[in-house]
Amino acid sequence: MRRFPALPLILLASAAVSLSACKRVDTPAADAAAPTTAAAPATEAAAHDNLNAVLWMQRAQEYRAITEQTYRAAADRLDEALNEAHWDALVPEERGNEAKGLKPAVVLDLDETVLDNSPYQARLIRDGKEYDEVSWAQWVAEKKAKAIPGVVDFAKAANAKGVTLLYISNRAVHLKDATLANLREQGLPVADDSVFLGLGTVVPGCEQAGSEKNCRRRLAGQQYRVLMQFGDQLGDFVEVTANTNEGRDALLAQYHDWFGERWWMLPNPTYGGFEPAQFNNDYSQPAQARHQAKQDALDYAP
């Protein structure tokens, strides 16, 4: 899951990256979204904010249809991606070396892209709580997250074509063993421990800002030609330097044509960068104030 810390509106990250050597302040970032520090107790209104979203993910047939059609459509493009020598799913700013001739790989976010953490979210609703790192780590240690519908078939198809599955997650690096065990139990290909690039992965020559994944994508690009990227947040595909509505709109407009070809977005209404963008990315505000800011952001019918 991906969690978003209380950070300034503009996040700066170094564009430099070393060609030698090989993260999460998002704990379920990019692979979840809420503060990475312990949050103030949730009010009844704040807990209710997530009820329909979690219910939809767990009970709506429409949710499963969307995830399955996304992975099926991506599988249909795999041969095209493999056969096109210049096909690359990394933005030019994150490609520090020639991609042609490198081994093929796909990059997947984990939480709400590969693994379903809605039972954890449901617990928070039931208990009237918000995300915190302790309860999140306990959930990960249980290794009970199920695979998102459609992902296993896609991953096996890619693996059969010689494509490596790389998991760039904002789960912290110390959660690696539990995470890889969960993936294997769900039938996801795991080549070796190196395919998990969690929050805290050190990339020499590249300074990571918060939970941004740009440094880890650069690291993946040093060894692989990235055919596709999968995620449930904009930050799973490209660095988000301004987590505002305007900044996010600009990113979507800039890379609009990448989606459905090189980039594949999965639905996640339960958390993400869209939420803190409504209250200045400031999780130190009381839950009720954040709730009001989100309500004020709605576009009301006249």
Side-chain angles (χ1 to χ4, degrees):
M1 213 177 217
R2 178 171 20 239
R3 301 296 180 182
F4 295 84
L7 294 172
L9 291 181
I10 306 298
L11 304 176
L12 299 179
S14 169
V17 62
S18 170
L19 294 181
S20 61
C22 195
K23 134 205 165 113
R24 167 207 139 142
V25 274
D26 118 31
T27 297
D31 295 25
T36 51
T37 55
T43 64
E44 183 177 347
H48 182 269
D49 280 357
N50 222 12
L51 176 58
N52 262 12
V54 175
L55 181 66
W56 183 74
M57 290 184 70
Q58 292 192 341
R59 295 291 177 256
Q61 291 72 26
E62 293 84 353
Y63 170 71
R64 298 198 296 274
I66 291 171
T67 63
E68 288 176 357
Q69 77 177 10
T70 299
Y71 278 113
R72 189 177 302 122
D76 289 343
R77 302 297 296 269
L78 268 176
D79 286 339
E80 180 183 359
L82 280 165
N83 294 331
E84 171 53 62
H86 298 288
W87 185 294
D88 189 16
L90 294 183
V91 298
E93 295 80 9
E94 295 180 3
R95 168 57 69 188
N97 53 301
E98 174 61 46
K100 185 177 180 180
L102 296 178
K103 297 176 294 184
V106 296
V107 167
L108 303 102
D109 166 57
L110 279 179
D111 298 301
E112 282 50 75
T113 299
V114 172
L115 295 176
D116 172 13
N117 301 285
S118 63
Y120 170 74
Q121 299 286 346
R123 288 180 185 175
L124 298 181
I125 294 171
R126 178 197 63 194
D127 300 337
K129 295 181 178 179
E130 291 186 289
Y131 164 88
D132 68 83
E133 291 189 353
V134 173
S135 65
W136 170 246
Q138 291 171 342
W139 161 251
V140 172
E142 293 177 32
K143 303 185 284 289
K144 291 181 179 178
K146 302 298 184 183
I148 295 292
V151 69
V152 173
D153 286 345
F154 169 83
K156 288 182 176 179
N159 188 60
K161 294 177 184 293
V163 178
T164 300
L165 285 296
L166 302 176
Y167 304 99
I168 300 185
S169 170
N170 280 336
R171 290 186 175 205
V173 291
H174 69 84
L175 300 175
K176 177 191 69 175
D177 290 345
T179 296
L180 294 182
N182 196 166
L183 289 171
R184 290 186 174 105
E185 190 277 332
Q186 288 298 304
L188 276 302
V190 177
D192 54 51
D193 286 7
S194 71
V195 300
F196 174 74
L197 300 176
L199 187 60
T201 298
V202 176
V203 183
C206 188
E207 183 178 352
Q208 178 178 280
S211 61
E212 289 294 322
K213 297 180 173 181
N214 57 308
C215 288
R216 286 168 289 160
R217 286 191 294 263
R218 290 168 182 264
L219 181 60
Q222 292 173 14
Q223 301 178 53
Y224 297 95
R225 178 166 69 98
V226 179
L227 305 180
M228 297 177 178
Q229 296 195 71
F230 295 80
D232 62 304
Q233 313 286 331
L234 283 176
D236 293 330
F237 305 93
V238 64
E239 183 181 8
V240 179
T241 57
N243 194 50
T244 62
N245 290 326
E246 297 77 12
R248 293 166 61 81
D249 284 343
L251 272 181
L252 181 58
Q254 182 177 357
Y255 295 105
H256 179 269
D257 292 341
W258 290 55
F259 289 100
E261 184 182 78
R262 288 166 169 77
W263 294 355
W264 301 87
M265 183 71 78
L266 280 296
N268 177 11
T270 64
Y271 62 81
F274 75 93
E275 184 182 8
Q278 313 313 316
F279 49 81
N280 201 32
N281 302 286
D282 184 6
Y283 277 102
S284 68
Q285 298 178 67
Q288 185 56 42
R290 288 180 268 133
H291 174 84
Q292 187 61 53
K294 290 186 287 183
Q295 185 168 313
D296 292 343
L298 295 175
D299 182 7
Y300 293 94

